[in-house]
């Protein structure tokens, strides 16, 4: 399945809760996208999330349903540095 990096910009500091993560995970499962990992900026106003999805539209739909931004969606591929050692 293709990998996508999603940049999300928030107007206010993001407060991550277990309930919020569960809700987003349920929405993602309904749509068929898989949240793999996220980084939160130091000011807590931006996240960079790695997802598996069939296409960017599935990610946009999941974000819309969850009420979170999906400002930039970029298809990426993995480079494993250990494979070059």
């Amino acid at each position: 399945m293709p990998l996508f990096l999603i940049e999300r910009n928030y107007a206010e500091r993001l407060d991550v809760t277990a309930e919020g993560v569960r809700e987003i995970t349920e929405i993602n499962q309904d749509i068929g996208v898989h949240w793999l990992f996220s980084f939160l900026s130091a000011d807590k106003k931006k996240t960079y999330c790695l997802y598996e999805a069939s296409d960017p539209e599935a990610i946009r739909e999941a974000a819309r349903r969850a009420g979170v931004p999906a400002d930039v969606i970029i298809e990426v591929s993995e480079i494993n540095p250990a494979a070059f050692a």
Side-chain angles (χ1 to χ4, degrees):
M1 184 163 299
L3 290 172
F4 295 90
L5 183 68
I6 304 146
E7 179 181 321
R8 304 179 192 277
N9 294 286
Y10 298 90
E12 302 292 326
R13 290 174 57 106
L14 181 62
D15 181 27
V16 181
T17 65
E19 181 180 329
V21 169
R22 278 193 299 275
E23 184 179 306
I24 289 172
T25 300
E26 288 175 12
I27 291 166
N28 289 346
Q29 288 174 346
D30 289 345
I31 295 174
V33 301
H34 185 228
W35 178 14
L36 299 172
F37 199 83
S38 289
F39 292 95
L40 179 61
S41 65
D43 67 1
K44 297 186 177 184
K45 290 187 174 185
K46 185 177 283 197
T47 61
Y48 296 93
C49 306
L50 185 63
Y51 269 71
E52 289 180 325
S54 57
D55 56 51
E57 288 308 314
I59 293 168
R60 285 186 189 92
E61 177 61 18
R64 186 190 65 73
R65 287 189 192 181
V68 297
D71 300 300
V72 178
I73 301 172
I74 301 168
E75 187 169 356
V76 297
S77 58
E78 183 177 349
I79 298 173
N80 183 349
F84 295 93

